[in-house]
Amino acid sequence: MRQLWIVVTLICFIFSGSLMVFGAEQKVEKETYQQETEKMLNVFEQKITEMKDKASELKMESKEKFDQEMMVLRKKKEAADKKLEKLKSATAESWDKMKAETDSAMNDLRRQYDDMMTRFRKE
């Protein structure tokens, strides 16, 4: 009976050690993802500023449409910023869900920016 408890204790110890390693790997993944996402958001902020500066050259009608689209772009950036902030406090259980939501917000931002750049270049 005593040997059984020793075996069970060893198994629990080994299992908990592998969970700790997984937790450490997940922590590194989370930190790396956060840093990369923050860098991308900073790049988008710079691109948005550059785009807005160049918009002064647009015709009045085009400028109004640009301003409307810029408002949408800003909202998408704010949404991505908020998702990243929530991701920073995500637990191990909610990490995958929060990462997917952040990815989705970043993709929306990227799509809006690309669409605006395509239209902006045409004018």
Side-chain angles (χ1 to χ4, degrees):
M1 183 72 165
R2 185 173 179 201
Q3 290 177 338
L4 178 62
W5 284 109
I6 292 172
V7 170
V8 169
T9 303
L10 284 173
I11 290 173
C12 289
F13 179 72
I14 291 169
F15 182 69
S16 67
S18 66
L19 285 178
M20 288 172 52
V21 170
F22 177 74
E25 289 174 3
Q26 189 178 36
K27 184 177 179 181
V28 169
E29 177 187 356
K30 181 179 175 184
E31 289 173 0
T32 301
Y33 180 83
Q34 287 173 2
Q35 290 170 353
E36 290 173 359
T37 304
E38 285 175 353
K39 285 179 189 175
M40 285 191 287
L41 287 170
N42 289 334
V43 168
F44 271 114
E45 187 61 40
Q46 291 172 346
K47 288 181 177 184
I48 290 169
T49 302
E50 290 171 10
M51 185 188 302
K52 196 169 184 180
D53 291 343
K54 291 178 182 178
S56 62
E57 302 167 6
L58 293 174
K59 300 173 195 167
M60 185 56 99
E61 184 179 306
S62 297
K63 178 121 175 64
E64 289 174 9
K65 184 171 180 160
F66 175 85
D67 289 342
Q68 290 171 350
E69 289 187 32
M70 180 59 76
M71 192 178 340
V72 172
L73 182 64
R74 282 275 175 206
K75 286 181 181 178
K76 290 187 183 283
K77 172 136 183 345
E78 288 172 13
D81 286 333
K82 288 178 183 176
K83 291 295 181 183
L84 179 61
E85 285 306 310
K86 285 184 179 180
L87 180 84
K88 288 179 180 180
S89 61
T91 63
E93 294 80 27
S94 65
W95 163 248
D96 289 331
K97 180 182 177 206
M98 292 306 302
K99 183 178 180 291
E101 290 177 10
T102 304
D103 285 342
S104 177
M106 291 298 292
N107 287 335
D108 286 347
L109 174 62
R110 188 175 297 112
R111 234 178 280 124
Q112 177 68 22
Y113 175 81
D114 290 345
D115 289 349
M116 283 185 71
M117 283 303 292
T118 300
R119 282 191 285 280
F120 186 58
R121 283 188 197 128
K122 290 180 182 177
E123 297 184 20

